[in-house]
Amino acid sequence: MTIRLDYTNMMAPPIDGAISPAEWNEVASSFAAAHDAVAMQHQDGTLGFIDLPDDRALHQQTLDFVARLREGGAYPTDIVVLGIGGSALGPIALRTALRAPQWNLLDAAARGGEPRLHVLDNVDPANITALLARLDLHTSLFVVTSKSGGTAETMAQYLIIRARLSATLGEQAAKTRVVFVTDPEKGALRTIARAQGVVALDIPGNVGGRFSVLTPVGVLPAALVGIDTTALLAGAADMRDRCSSSDLSGNIAGTYAALQYLADTKHGRHIQVLMPYSDALRDMADWFVQLWAESLGKHRVPGDAGVGPTPMGALGATDQHSKVQLYMEGPGDKTVTFVAVDEGGADVEIPRLHADIPELAYLGGHHLGELLDIERRATAGALARRGRPNMTLTLERVNPWHVGGLLMFLELATAYAGQLYGVNAFDQPGVELGKQFTYAMLGRADAGKARAEWELLPKSDPARVL
Ligand code: PA5
């Protein structure tokens, strides 16, 4: 079992402006300092995500809750995660990676009796209305996930669901159809849980939203739909232990962070693409985009020009017919990280039909998994041939152990990259003003200052509206 990173195509000709040995030596010493700083923050107790694979008590909260539900006999048919951002993207990525394709469209037998898993991740009324029209509230369980316990979108989703549940099932039963995942001490969800006896699982205080997939944020929905969360956490622990060295050559997440940092800051590769060649890993790209963007796009000091790469997700081979033209011939401002899978599971042979038509005949006898993998290698080679830097991350297979490893790999890489850029990867002050303006427009009592600031903004000029 392993995850490998091949970064040959970042370093060597024919890559334009490949990372030079001198740059690599220099970043190796910056990385040693970055690694030590991350280790120090971890020792201080501020980087809780690193300890999650070993937190048996926290994992047990989830296992006990799920076991109680299973023993209760009325196991839900539908799990609905209410949340947004870091509280939603992890559950979506885990469902897509570790449950059968089209999970929610399968019948109960094909799902092995496990429930469907829906994740809202927005407040678009059309989507919520459509979901509510399909759900049986008597057999659905709602997992309300918010670290802060007060995010406007998630609270709005919750209020709608709670009112529906109360109207349909009555107040007492409604309480048993919701479970909260939130901070152990603070926030509105914790207050409601205490006051009303709603079950609430913990997101440790020292784990922030986008680093929380290995807390009940991701682990509870995963366990509820039958994913092996013990293997998920074991894979994450293995990757964490692989990244204990401050020597770049022995630290896979450090190597990835250093490559991306150098590519961005020394070679103008400001856009960094994660491109899995596996439908199962497609939503992992969205999860990575949030992690990389919200963690690294920052001011180093207030008011400076700001730093940080722009992450982008893509899917192979689909996006070979969409974005790859841009990667090949557009501005040379990108790196592409391909994600490959060694053993893709049951393959499908392409039939030998139309042997007299050359455009089809060459496909016969090959397999779809083989085609996908050859296309990935061809695209990586073509990019390298055009001087475009790329690297390949390979998972032996897509199972809980490797997915846990991949999540930890990207989280650690983000922590290291934060140190290399000189920013705090664990806050998100840039989203605060928009939130305050939202509160102001919705009339929240404590938003007077934001309201005043909002009023000062230029009004829309009719002369500039077409
Ligand atoms: O990474 C983050 O901190 C954010 O993206 C949050 O996950 C998102 O804003 C939701 O916050 P909360 O979990 O507090 O509702």
Side-chain angles (χ1 to χ4, degrees):
M1 295 202 283
T2 187
I3 296 178
R4 321 185 289 280
L5 178 69
D6 180 346
Y7 61 98
T8 311
N9 287 345
M10 298 291 289
M11 308 296 285
I15 301 304
D16 289 336
I19 291 168
S20 69
E23 286 169 342
W24 195 240
N25 287 339
E26 197 185 318
V27 86
S29 56
S30 317
F31 173 71
H35 178 273
D36 292 349
V38 169
M40 200 99 81
Q41 281 178 301
H42 177 221
Q43 266 170 21
D44 289 352
T46 47
L47 295 194
F49 81 90
I50 296 175
D51 297 319
L52 292 171
D54 307 324
D55 193 337
R56 281 164 204 263
L58 186 66
H59 189 203
Q60 202 58 45
Q61 276 189 7
T62 288
L63 297 179
D64 289 347
F65 177 78
V66 176
R68 278 199 306 276
L69 266 187
R70 290 194 193 273
E71 282 157 16
Y75 201 67
T77 58
D78 292 86
I79 307 296
V80 187
V81 174
L82 313 183
I84 198 160
S87 291
L89 292 165
I92 293 172
L94 290 175
R95 178 191 61 199
T96 310
L98 298 173
R99 295 289 70 184
Q102 312 286 346
W103 180 252
N104 287 346
L105 299 180
L106 302 177
D107 63 26
R111 295 195 313 271
E114 300 292 354
R116 288 174 283 262
L117 174 58
H118 317 271
V119 185
L120 286 182
D121 197 27
N122 208 347
V123 285
D124 190 315
N127 191 29
I128 294 184
T129 305
L131 180 64
L132 282 172
R134 288 203 318 270
L135 282 181
D136 180 350
L137 294 184
H138 296 87
T139 61
S140 298
L141 178 72
F142 296 87
V143 181
V144 188
T145 302
S146 175
K147 172 69 197 294
S148 61
T151 299
E153 295 89 340
T154 308
M155 294 307 107
Q157 294 165 356
Y158 164 67
L159 292 169
I160 290 163
I161 296 297
R162 184 73 195 256
R164 287 284 181 107
L165 283 169
S166 299
T168 311
L169 310 176
E171 196 51 48
Q172 278 311 313
K175 274 189 238 173
T176 67
R177 306 314 302 179
V178 291
V179 52
F180 298 159
V181 178
T182 192
D183 187 275
E185 306 291 337
K186 297 180 295 204
L189 286 180
R190 186 57 66 180
T191 306
I192 298 168
R194 284 197 189 107
Q196 301 192 343
V198 173
V199 176
L201 274 53
D202 298 341
I203 307 172
N206 59 1
V207 180
R210 58 195 172 274
F211 289 85
S212 68
V213 62
L214 298 174
T215 72
V217 170
V219 170
L220 175 63
L224 282 166
V225 298
I227 292 169
D228 179 353
T229 52
T230 303
L232 183 82
L233 294 170
D238 182 82
M239 176 55 72
R240 189 257 331 267
D241 297 346
R242 268 181 83 183
C243 297
S244 57
S245 172
S246 61
D247 175 0
L248 207 45
S249 64
N251 189 319
I252 180 172
T255 296
Y256 181 76
L259 288 164
Q260 297 283 48
Y261 169 73
L262 278 182
D264 175 22
T265 58
K266 301 274 191 216
H267 297 280
R269 317 289 189 186
H270 306 307
I271 299 174
Q272 304 190 334
V273 180
L274 189 74
M275 186 167 185
Y277 272 64
S278 154
D279 281 3
L281 296 176
R282 66 186 302 159
D283 291 327
M284 208 50 89
D286 270 358
W287 177 82
F288 162 76
V289 165
Q290 191 230 2
L291 181 70
W292 207 240
E294 206 169 12
S295 301
L296 302 178
K298 303 267 159 79
H299 293 299
R300 277 199 181 108
V301 289
D304 73 6
V307 295
T310 300
M312 183 191 266
L315 178 70
T318 307
D319 282 319
Q320 286 177 208
H321 303 268
S322 165
K323 298 170 183 161
V324 168
Q325 169 63 34
L326 173 72
Y327 305 162
M328 289 287 284
E329 296 188 351
D333 56 359
K334 300 170 197 69
T335 64
V336 180
T337 303
F338 297 101
V339 186
V341 180
D342 278 338
E343 294 167 25
D347 212 337
V348 178
E349 187 173 348
I350 305 170
R352 294 177 196 276
L353 293 179
H354 300 296
D356 54 333
I357 303 180
E359 295 94 319
L360 274 67
Y362 76 100
L363 289 167
H366 291 288
H367 289 77
L368 288 184
E370 180 194 1
L371 175 63
L372 192 62
D373 198 56
I374 287 175
E375 294 213 33
R376 173 188 61 75
R377 288 192 280 134
T379 305
L383 282 170
R385 184 80 182 79
R386 290 286 172 89
R388 300 290 157 104
N390 63 86
M391 52 189 148
T392 301
L393 194 60
T394 304
L395 276 63
E396 209 171 278
R397 57 180 73 93
V398 181
N399 63 11
W401 193 91
H402 286 90
V403 168
L406 180 61
L407 294 166
M408 181 57 79
F409 165 83
L410 291 169
E411 289 181 337
L412 283 170
T414 305
Y416 295 140
Q419 288 294 335
L420 292 169
Y421 278 102
V423 298
N424 177 0
F426 304 98
D427 65 3
Q428 51 285 327
V431 301
E432 198 46 40
L433 187 57
K435 278 189 193 172
Q436 293 300 328
F437 283 165
T438 303
Y439 296 152
M441 282 186 267
L442 288 171
R444 196 168 130 160
D446 57 1
K449 192 161 162 270
R451 172 103 232 152
E453 207 175 330
W454 175 253
E455 297 301 342
L456 290 176
L457 286 173
K459 299 286 168 283
S460 174
D461 178 352
R464 293 188 167 150
V465 180
L466 297 178

